[in-house]
């Protein structure tokens, strides 16, 4: 039986989970809620059009989109030896935050990096000084980490510097 073309979905290389950090409980990991998962382009866009934008979240809340099976916590096996490229937003410019979040997520779930296997997920932290991070595995793989940073710099078109931090330190390892 043939499936009509209009019913076909475009599969992603990986399945991804959409997380919300609620910031309502005293214990950090009790705030982390896996909302849903998706594995096709169409399912992502359906979620995107029904979820709040980062600018609509309450101060202190986060969104995270991670490969299925990877929890957006530094302690997770795939994250603990890794790090993150981070874009800081010094002023709360929500339109910019929302656009950079969307572009970063699309780069990640679309496997648009030479080293996409290193990508664990993407996080947006809504704060007075918000930030968007793309988390990687194997932070000591400098060539792969720098390739990811160059791709972000090229495609995101943000004036802010990108900084790479290992999850185990607060000092930036690379700056672009």
């Amino acid at each position: 039986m043939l499936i009509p073309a209009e019913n076909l979905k475009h599969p992603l290389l990986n399945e991804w989970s959409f997380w919300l950090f609620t910031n309502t409980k005293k214990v950090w990991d009790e705030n982390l809620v896996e909302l849903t998962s998706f594995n096709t382009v169409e399912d992502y866009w359906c979620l995107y059009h029904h979820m709040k934008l980062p600018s609509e979240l309450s101060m202190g809340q986060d969104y995270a989109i991670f490969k299925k099976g990877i929890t957006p916590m530094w302690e997770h096996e795939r994250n603990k030896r890794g790090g993150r490229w981070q874009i800081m937003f010094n002023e709360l410019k929500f339109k910019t935050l929302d656009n950079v979040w969307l572009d970063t997520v699309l780069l990640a779930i679309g496997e648009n990096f030479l080293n996409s296997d290193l990508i664990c997920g993407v996080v947006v932290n809504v704060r007075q000084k918000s930030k968007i991070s793309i988390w990687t595995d194997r932070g000591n793989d400098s060539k792969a980490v720098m390739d990811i940073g160059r791709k972000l710099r090229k495609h995101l078109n943000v004036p802010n510097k990108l900084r790479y931090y290992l999850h185990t330190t607060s000092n930036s390892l690379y700056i672009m």
Side-chain angles (χ1 to χ4, degrees), residues 90-168:
N90 294 329
E91 298 172 16
L92 207 51
K93 295 181 180 172
F94 281 132
K95 183 167 178 48
T96 302
L97 182 71
D98 292 342
N99 289 337
V100 173
W101 166 249
L102 174 60
D103 291 346
T104 306
V105 168
L106 292 176
L107 283 169
I109 69 173
E111 310 285 340
N112 287 290
F113 298 94
L114 290 175
N115 301 286
S116 288
D117 59 313
L118 258 66
I119 304 296
C120 295
V122 183
V123 177
V124 59
N125 309 106
V126 179
R127 309 288 187 276
Q128 231 11 68
K129 294 184 178 186
S130 295
K131 54 191 169 195
I132 294 175
S133 305
I134 190 158
W135 289 30
T136 68
D137 189 1
R138 300 189 314 266
N140 61 350
D141 186 341
S142 60
K143 182 186 177 328
V145 166
M146 291 302 288
D147 284 346
I148 291 167
R150 280 190 284 280
K151 182 84 167 190
L152 286 170
R153 167 59 73 203
K154 179 180 177 186
H155 288 280
L156 294 182
N157 195 27
V158 290
N160 317 30
K161 288 186 177 178
L162 279 75
R163 296 176 184 273
Y164 187 82
Y165 300 87
L166 293 174
H167 291 314
T168 56

Side-chain angles (χ1 to χ4, degrees), residues 44-111:
Y44 171 73
W45 283 113
C46 184
L47 287 171
Y48 177 79
H49 290 295
H50 288 93
M51 304 293 279
K52 291 180 177 182
L53 294 170
S55 62
E56 298 170 318
L57 295 176
S58 297
M59 195 65 63
Q61 289 187 319
D62 305 335
Y63 271 154
I65 295 180
F66 273 65
K67 288 178 179 167
K68 184 73 174 172
I70 303 175
T71 308
M73 300 172 67
W74 295 354
E75 299 83 2
H76 188 276
E77 188 62 35
R78 286 282 311 269
N79 294 325
K80 65 182 170 185
R81 285 179 303 281
R84 67 208 176 279
W85 278 106
Q86 191 172 79
I87 307 159
M88 294 290 295
F89 295 85
N90 294 329
E91 298 172 16
L92 207 51
K93 295 181 180 172
F94 281 132
K95 183 167 178 48
T96 302
L97 182 71
D98 292 342
N99 289 337
V100 173
W101 166 249
L102 174 60
D103 291 346
T104 306
V105 168
L106 292 176
L107 283 169
I109 69 173
E111 310 285 340

